[in-house]
Each structure stands twice: as C-alpha cells, then as structure tokens.
Amino acid sequence: QVHLVETGGGLVQSGGSLRLSCAASGRSFSAYTMAWFRQAPGKAREFVARIMWSSPITYYADSAKGRFTISRDSNTNRVALQMDGLQPEDTAVYYCAADYQGWSAAPNDYDFWGQGTQVTVSS
C-alpha cells in the first residue's frame, strides 16, 4: 500500500524559508511523477511543482518559479520542496501526490496523496 507522508510545515515570517519533505513508501516510484499541491481555505487545490522520479525534469507553477525548488532522493525515497521568499499568499495546506506514468498539473490525475502539512506565512 502506498503511503505519502509530508513533514516540515510550520509558521514562518514573510520572506522566510521552509523545506517540506514527503516520505514515499509501498512500491517503486520509478514510473511516477511526484508533485506538490496546495490548498488555501475556501480555494481549490492548486498545482505547485512536479518532478519525474526517473529523471530530474521539473515543472513549476508561475507562482513558484524562482522561489521554490522541488527535488527527489531515490536513496531515501523522499521528495522535497524548498520554499524561499515565502509570502502570506503562500499560506495553505501543502500536499504531496504521485501520478503513475503521468505528467500533469491536474489534481484529479494523481493516484495517491499524503495527508498534508500546514504552512502559515505571517506578514
């Protein structure tokens, strides 16, 4: 059974940084795309960044470009999201997700999800 467990959320001041981590287990993820999404209160879940497990190809939402960096470590089966220059509008629950043989920004295309981790940015 696939498990995705996010850690690393918290409260940070505007301009600060956080590093989120997603521990993936239950199967080989070599054929998966791994992604980070976020959902703010009253808003739809939105794509943040994705990476192919089998290669370092990445893609970012416009809101994340230049500030966030997604990476994966095949040795530890973890996907990270380094977030710098955080702003209050980045406040949301951040989710890790896995898409089998896909390359999508649509939440409905993702097969597995973590429980989420809260990120709060104060002004």
Side-chain angles (χ1 to χ4, degrees):
Q1 188 171 355
V2 173
H3 287 284
L4 303 176
V5 180
E6 304 96 334
T7 56
L11 174 64
V12 64
Q13 289 187 333
S14 181
S17 298
L18 281 175
R19 184 175 179 87
L20 306 183
S21 181
C22 172
S25 62
R27 65 180 58 184
S28 170
F29 289 90
S30 60
Y32 281 78
T33 287
M34 305 298 293
W36 288 94
F37 289 80
R38 67 187 183 186
Q39 189 165 17
K43 294 188 177 182
R45 191 166 297 190
E46 67 171 357
F47 166 76
V48 175
R50 63 183 185 260
I51 186 169
M52 286 187 176
W53 195 275
S54 59
S55 78
I57 297 174
T58 60
Y59 189 83
Y60 296 89
D62 287 344
S63 60
K65 286 178 183 176
R67 300 190 301 131
F68 295 0
T69 303
I70 189 172
S71 61
R72 89 277 184 262
D73 185 333
S74 298
N75 293 325
T76 62
N77 258 23
R78 288 182 177 269
V79 179
L81 185 69
Q82 176 67 38
M83 304 187 295
D84 299 316
L86 285 162
Q87 299 300 317
E89 53 265 36
D90 295 314
T91 295
V93 178
Y94 283 71
Y95 296 91
C96 176
D99 178 15
Y100 180 67
Q101 291 189 333
W103 186 244
S104 173
N108 287 346
D109 289 337
Y110 282 75
D111 305 296
F112 302 103
W113 291 85
Q115 83 289 348
T117 185
Q118 177 70 46
V119 171
T120 303
V121 185
S122 63
S123 57

